[in-house]
Amino acid sequence: MNNYTIDSNKKYLELYNSSTQSPEKFWDKLASNNFVWNKKWSKVVDWDFKKAKISWFKDAKLNITVNCLDRHVIKNPQKTAIIFEPNNPNEKHKSYSYSELLVEVCKMANVLKSMGVKKGDRVCIYLPMIPELAFSVLACARIGAIHSVVFAGFSSNALATRIDDCESSLIITSDGSYRGDKILNLKQIVDDALEICETKQKVLVVKRTNESMNLKHERDYLLNDLIDSVNDVCEPEIMDAEDPLFILYTSGSTGKPKGMVHTCAGYMVYTSYTFKNIFQYQPEDVYWCTADIGWITGHSYILYGPLSNGATTLMFEGVPSYPDFSRFWQIVDKYKVNQFYTAPTAIRGLAKQGDDFLKDASLKSLKVLGTVGEPINEEAWEWYDNNIGKNKCPIVDTWWQTETGGILISSIPNVIPDKPTFATKPFIGIQPILIDDSGDELNEANIVGKLCIKYPWPSIARTIWGNHERYINTYFSAYDNMYFTGDGAFKDDEGNFRITGRVDDVIIVSGHNLGTAPIEDAINEHKKVAESAIVGFPHDIKGNALYGFVTSKDEINDEKLIRKEINNLISNKIGPIAKLDKIQFTSGLPKTRSGKIMRRILRKIASKQYDDLGDISTLLNPEIVQEIKDNSI
Ligand code: 7RM
């Protein structure tokens, strides 16, 4: 049986059962049949969660870029690999076929080599969403250098911390970046970061905006000056299955960012398999994920997952609001996008603009819609389904983490039905369970618990760079022999999972455990509400009471009335226990760059700990914090 394509519920169940009953046999066959290896493994999986030691496909040899590029160049060299849509719609787009992409990657790889980069060296990539970002990532993988992509919007301080933590030797950046009608001077940010960095760097600069910049002698090099003199062939470095492929920092809510380390073989196998099936990618499809490659979603589902399947993947440099809020839909129509994958924050932001921006959009090409990053509230889900999918596109609500490398819980179009606000079922090989406060497994249906995973899967992170103890403590010490996700979840009587939010955000009101997602979901159903976030604050009688921060779609005249209506909604949907003691209307919520609400900050404000807000420099909208503080109740 071909176990790579999942095209019916029956097949899903068969594969799921064999993948959990005989994981080694299952993954052995899947990996053998669907990838190019220089040498096969001696053991499929070896693991000890106590020590957080995990290896997949031990002793195997491969190069992931051979699987993402060379093998498709042999079979289908002219197929489009990457479509690049620039920030400005008047600038011509670019397309790279698989054979062109291989040449670009090899040239970039040879430039890196000429600058002294070797296997195992860390290369920091601080680039906007331009083709050179893809070339750089893949060039590192080609020569066995470990890439660490830092989102090109982070401050010089955040960049410096990440450079020093992984002790990179080279940073790839550009003169500037376009975002909507703004230009960001990236090279200046890199210069500032290098003033505070302890590790010595070389800098490779890609020209994008033609900003003027200072080039420091024997430190800074222009890609243009080097690229023409290198060979366009670069033999792939043969890597061990467990050699690191990349480091990606997750900021987490507290403390120093964690450099999650992913390795070559397991990551490749799992991201490839999930991409193919969760998006039901067919050979002629055009797939678009709107994430930035600076996030895990971009690594796994713009680059490695799609390219390992020989797919056509779209890279968009700009923002959803430029030149206006119809931009996403124009791009979908322009390239006849078949699969569209974005975040709830983007969906809510676009829904808030009203349907005018959709009136010229056909959206006929769309077959599958996806979301990732946060729980999606019911209202946003319905808007997406009605207006974008026209009620004919399954929506995959994909739950996963930087640490998991690939999607662990999701519906599968025409295989596992979707269900609003539910991520639904575990993917092949994934064994999620819910744990109660005393650490026992919950087997009943219709129950909430802490989400853990029982058995390793190929793309689980292997360590935190330079701090294995922290890796063990964060993910493997809470419960014996399990990976702890940090998320809470609800499981219904059909085995569908609904993610209720981070367990740190759970609020205990009068002894009742309340997840943030279901309450926010209820609030968001109010026709005036665009977004909301709830946190707890200390209360004499209840222990904690609920404080809601609410953004509206338009002017609110009678705040008192809306407050009452919101609490009525909560009462009806969840129960009076979840009613809010305080409701503050605000023009925005503090968010991370990938769109997650930073409840940590709101929690501090709600408990009037104004001086202790922690690091807010990595926020998308740091200015909102002052407004929220000033108007807090
Ligand atoms: C891919 C990504 C991980 C955290 C995770 C959750 C939340 C992600 C969903 C979701 C509800 C989803 N990686 N999360 N996807 N919550 N439904 N479909 O986002 O490392 O940046 O974040 O994001 O809390 O633990 S991440």
Side-chain angles (χ1 to χ4, degrees):
M1 181 173 71
N2 161 0
N3 59 2
Y4 193 68
T5 318
I6 309 165
D7 49 14
S8 68
N9 191 263
K10 183 168 163 274
K11 185 131 175 219
Y12 163 77
L13 291 173
E14 274 169 27
L15 294 176
Y16 186 78
N17 290 337
S18 62
S19 72
T20 47
Q21 279 153 21
S22 340
E24 298 212 36
K25 207 169 135 201
F26 176 84
W27 290 108
D28 183 78
K29 187 172 161 204
L30 187 100
S32 296
N33 291 351
N34 297 290
F35 300 91
V36 179
W37 303 93
N38 295 80
K39 183 177 160 237
K40 287 285 171 66
W41 41 94
S42 58
K43 179 123 183 59
V44 176
V45 55
D46 222 355
W47 61 292
D48 176 356
F49 273 175
K50 255 198 180 52
K51 299 189 183 125
K53 284 231 168 301
I54 303 146
S55 82
W56 280 88
F57 310 112
K58 193 185 240 156
D59 300 322
K61 303 277 182 201
L62 76 158
N63 186 291
I64 195 169
T65 68
V66 170
N67 286 275
C68 287
L69 301 169
D70 305 63
R71 65 164 162 166
H72 309 304
V73 171
I74 295 167
K75 272 173 60 184
N76 204 353
Q78 302 314 325
K79 167 142 191 200
T80 304
I82 293 181
I83 300 170
F84 167 67
E85 169 70 13
N87 176 65
N88 184 334
N90 299 322
E91 184 182 328
K92 206 174 155 6
H93 74 275
K94 289 183 190 164
S95 289
Y96 298 86
S97 67
Y98 272 89
S99 70
E100 287 164 340
L101 180 58
L102 178 58
V103 167
E104 296 296 341
V105 170
C106 286
K107 279 168 42 183
M108 185 68 91
N110 285 329
V111 168
L112 299 185
K113 277 187 172 173
S114 77
M115 294 181 78
V117 179
K118 295 181 301 297
K119 178 179 174 184
D121 290 351
R122 274 78 60 210
V123 172
C124 181
I125 303 177
Y126 187 70
L127 281 172
M129 283 283 284
I130 54 177
E132 287 80 3
L133 170 53
F135 307 160
S136 301
V137 165
L138 296 166
C140 288
R142 189 78 173 173
I143 65 174
I146 303 169
H147 56 77
S148 163
V149 181
V150 177
F151 173 66
F154 273 165
S155 66
S156 51
N157 272 313
L159 175 61
T161 315
R162 286 157 177 77
I163 291 172
D164 278 343
D165 185 78
C166 74
E167 299 174 296
S168 59
S169 56
L170 173 77
I171 166 155
I172 309 178
T173 190
S174 66
D175 47 1
S177 91
Y178 295 118
R179 277 183 84 74
D181 54 11
K182 294 191 200 61
I183 295 182
L184 199 63
N185 194 330
L186 291 189
K187 177 60 167 57
Q188 186 58 53
I189 300 172
V190 170
D191 289 347
D192 294 345
L194 294 187
E195 290 288 313
I196 38 182
C197 273
E198 282 162 19
T199 32
K200 199 166 160 257
Q201 306 293 310
K202 281 187 178 175
V203 183
L204 178 62
V205 186
V206 180
K207 278 201 166 188
R208 174 63 181 133
T209 56
N210 292 314
E211 301 301 276
S212 69
M213 56 184 164
N214 296 320
L215 290 179
K216 199 166 163 187
H217 186 60
E218 296 200 333
R219 187 194 76 179
D220 300 350
Y221 299 83
L222 283 177
L223 179 67
N224 281 348
D225 295 344
L226 306 174
I227 198 91
D228 290 333
S229 55
V230 295
N231 199 314
D232 59 11
V233 176
C234 173
E235 288 306 319
E237 184 78 30
I238 304 307
M239 305 294 285
D240 195 273
E242 285 296 334
D243 280 335
L245 172 63
F246 66 84
I247 303 169
L248 186 62
Y249 288 88
T250 69
S251 43
S253 56
T254 45
K256 194 172 136 190
K258 304 187 280 265
M260 305 311 309
V261 177
H262 284 283
T263 57
C264 295
Y267 177 81
M268 170 183 78
V269 168
Y270 194 78
T271 54
S272 186
Y273 189 36
T274 47
F275 170 77
K276 164 76 192 161
N277 289 295
I278 292 171
F279 297 102
Q280 290 286 307
Y281 185 85
Q282 302 304 315
E284 297 310 314
D285 289 347
V286 175
Y287 161 89
W288 182 21
C289 164
T290 70
D292 192 286
I293 291 175
W295 311 121
I296 190 70
T297 307
H299 282 59
S300 302
Y301 298 111
I302 295 178
L303 294 179
Y304 290 115
L307 295 175
S308 59
N309 280 285
T312 300
T313 175
L314 198 151
M315 255 179 98
F316 175 42
E317 183 185 31
V319 293
S321 55
Y322 180 80
D324 65 44
F325 283 97
S326 67
R327 187 66 190 280
F328 273 6
W329 321 129
Q330 287 185 13
I331 297 174
V332 167
D333 284 349
K334 178 170 175 189
Y335 299 106
K336 304 208 165 34
V337 169
N338 302 107
Q339 291 88 2
F340 177 74
Y341 189 30
T342 195
T345 179
I347 298 168
R348 287 192 294 263
L350 290 163
K352 184 179 168 180
Q353 301 305 318
D355 300 341
D356 242 25
F357 293 107
L358 278 159
K359 68 178 191 308
D360 297 326
S362 139
L363 306 178
K364 272 210 184 74
S365 54
L366 290 171
K367 296 195 284 193
V368 175
L369 301 177
T371 84
V372 58
E374 276 187 298
I376 180 165
N377 53 294
E378 193 152 356
E379 210 195 6
W381 198 100
E382 298 293 348
W383 183 87
Y384 201 29
D385 188 35
N386 294 335
N387 295 282
I388 309 307
K390 318 275 189 202
N391 305 108
K392 64 171 179 52
C393 300
I395 298 179
V396 292
D397 177 352
T398 64
W399 175 83
W400 59 297
Q401 308 175 298
T402 306
E403 295 85 340
T404 70
I407 298 166
L408 299 197
I409 304 183
S410 175
S411 57
I412 301 180
N414 310 317
V415 173
I416 301 172
D418 57 23
K419 177 170 179 179
T421 77
F422 282 74
T424 75
K425 298 280 166 91
F427 192 72
I428 308 299
I430 306 303
Q431 304 185 42
I433 54 164
L434 299 181
I435 300 287
D436 69 13
D437 287 334
S438 41
D440 295 326
E441 188 170 340
L442 294 163
N443 289 308
E444 311 84 318
N446 295 317
I447 206 152
V448 184
K450 293 179 177 142
L451 181 62
C452 292
I453 318 285
K454 251 189 191 165
Y455 189 90
W457 60 98
S459 67
I460 184 174
R462 301 300 194 262
T463 189
I464 292 174
W465 184 263
N467 198 344
H468 196 68
E469 269 315 296
R470 188 174 177 200
Y471 185 56
I472 300 175
N473 291 337
T474 313
Y475 305 102
F476 301 96
S477 63
Y479 308 106
D480 258 3
N481 241 346
M482 268 180 269
Y483 168 81
F484 174 48
T485 67
D487 284 340
F490 168 84
K491 193 170 146 182
D492 74 6
D493 48 17
E494 290 171 328
N496 290 307
F497 287 88
R498 174 188 198 186
I499 310 301
T500 52
R502 302 292 299 165
V503 294
D504 309 340
D505 294 335
V506 160
I507 310 155
I508 301 177
V509 178
S510 308
H512 294 265
N513 255 335
L514 301 173
T516 51
I519 305 176
E520 289 162 7
D521 214 24
I523 303 173
N524 294 351
E525 292 206 359
H526 192 286
K527 59 182 184 312
K528 292 245 174 184
V529 172
E531 272 195 304
S532 62
I534 57 145
V535 297
F537 69 98
H539 186 279
D540 288 347
I541 297 154
K542 304 190 230 182
N544 290 292
L546 298 180
Y547 190 129
F549 296 86
V550 173
T551 69
S552 62
K553 287 185 183 144
D554 39 45
E555 200 75 36
I556 289 189
N557 299 319
D558 189 348
E559 291 198 353
K560 215 171 142 199
L561 174 72
I562 308 290
R563 285 199 178 94
K564 202 168 151 221
E565 289 174 354
I566 287 176
N567 267 331
N568 283 341
L569 268 170
I570 296 175
S571 251
N572 288 337
K573 294 219 103 183
I574 298 165
I577 178 84
K579 284 214 279 200
L580 309 182
D581 275 38
K582 297 182 183 178
I583 299 179
Q584 176 179 345
F585 295 97
T586 162
S587 68
L589 298 169
K591 288 196 184 165
T592 67
R593 302 270 178 170
S594 61
K596 298 194 211 300
I597 299 168
M598 286 264 246
R599 292 185 185 73
R600 166 175 70 83
I601 291 170
L602 298 174
R603 209 155 34 227
K604 290 269 164 72
I605 294 176
S607 350
K608 306 203 186 295
Q609 295 173 302
Y610 302 121
D611 301 329
D612 185 22
L613 297 181
D615 183 15
I616 61 167
S617 70
T618 54
L619 283 186
L620 180 71
N621 50 350
E623 69 289 344
I624 200 71
V625 176
Q626 192 62 42
E627 183 204 306
I628 298 179
K629 260 199 313 201
D630 290 346
N631 299 324
S632 67
I633 310 167

